[in-house]
Amino acid sequence: MAVPTGNLDCYIAFACQVPVLDIEEERALARRLHGYHDLNAARTLIIHHLRFVIQIARGYSGYGLPLADLIQEGNVGLMKAVKRFDPHKGVRLVSFAVHWIRAEIHEFVLRNWRVVKIATTKAQRKLFFNLRNSKKRLAWLNQDEVKNVAKDLGVKPAEVMEMEKRLSSSDQGFDLPHNAEDDDAYAPAAFLRHESGSPETQAEEADWKIYQNQQLRTALTTLDNRSRDIITRRWLTENRATLQELAGKYKVSAERIRQLEHNAIEKLKSVVVV
C-alpha cells in the first residue's frame, strides 16, 4: 500500500473520508478473508483502517523522517495484522493492528534515523523510544533524571547515559563534501592508513606475483625428479622437510642433499627472469 509522496495531502484526505467499520462489518470481512481467502475483503479491511495508520505515524514526526515513509511502513504493518487477525477472538482489528503498525515504524526509524545503528538489541530499542519520550527538554539529563529514567525502564543508569549520548550525536561524513575547499577541513577518511597501498599498486603486485609463480612452475620442469622433490619439500610446502629427513629418503648424506638443493636453486635462478 504505497503512499504517493507528491500527493500526500490527497491521500490523507481520502483515508480520512473512508468511514470506520462497525464490529459486525469488520467480523464479516475477516471471516470472508480467512474462510475463503477473499482478497477483496482484505483490501476493504485495509482501506477502512488507513486513517489509524496515519494517526499513529504522525506520532513519530519528531524523528525528522518523511511522514509519507512512516505511513507507508505503517501500512505494511497493517497488512500483516489483517493477515493474522482472528475474528473469533472478540478483539477489534484496530486494537490488534496497533502492535504491528508500531513495530514496522519502529524498524524503519531505527534503520534510517542514523546511518550507524544505535539500537541493535530488543532492550536497546525499548530504551531508544522510551528515552526520547521521557526527556522533557533538549539539554542533557542530570543524575537524578538518569536514575529516574533507569528505574522507570528497568535498566542500568549507565545504559541510559550511553543511549542519551548516541541520541545526542550526529552522523559525520566519511569523506569531505565534494565542494569543500577549506584546507583546514577534515574527514575520517583522511586519518586512515593505507596499509596495502593504492589500488593500482595492489593490482600491479598481484599481476607480478602471478607472473613469478608461472615462471617458477616452468623452471621446476627443468629439474630432475629428485632435485624437484627436494626443492618442493624444502621450500614449497607448509611443513618443510629437514636435510636429515630427505637424506633418509634418498639413502645419502645430509651434506649431499644440501649440495643437490644448492645446485637446483642455482639452476632455477638461471631460468627464472626477475
Side-chain angles (χ1 to χ4, degrees), residues 48-119:
H48 282 265
H49 286 80
L50 293 177
R51 62 168 64 207
F52 299 109
V53 176
I54 295 171
Q55 181 180 353
I56 295 172
R58 279 175 170 159
Y60 294 85
S61 58
Y63 293 94
L65 298 172
L67 178 60
D69 291 343
L70 295 171
I71 293 173
Q72 183 163 301
E73 294 299 319
N75 286 344
V76 173
L78 173 61
M79 288 186 283
K80 290 182 178 180
V82 168
K83 181 179 180 180
R84 293 167 173 79
F85 179 61
D86 186 349
H88 305 291
K89 296 293 185 180
V91 179
R92 294 300 300 267
L93 174 58
V94 65
S95 300
F96 176 76
V98 165
H99 165 77
W100 294 95
I101 296 170
R102 290 188 182 277
E104 291 297 324
I105 295 178
H106 282 190
E107 288 293 329
F108 176 75
V109 170
L110 291 172
R111 288 196 310 268
N112 295 276
W113 197 65
R114 286 283 189 271
V115 174
V116 179
K117 285 190 175 182
I118 64 172

Side-chain angles (χ1 to χ4, degrees), residues 252-265:
V252 295
S253 66
E255 176 60 23
R256 178 55 180 161
I257 295 295
R258 189 195 64 76
Q259 292 175 355
L260 292 170
E261 178 187 26
H262 174 76
N263 295 336
I265 291 176

Side-chain angles (χ1 to χ4, degrees), residues 169-209:
S169 63
S170 59
D171 294 329
Q172 182 178 8
F174 182 73
D175 293 304
L176 287 175
H178 67 279
N179 57 350
E181 299 179 355
D182 189 353
D183 292 337
D184 295 329
Y186 68 92
F191 297 93
L192 292 181
R193 296 176 59 187
H194 295 280
E195 299 288 350
S196 54
S198 62
E200 60 270 19
T201 302
Q202 294 181 44
E204 182 180 354
E205 291 176 351
D207 288 342
W208 179 246
K209 186 175 182 179

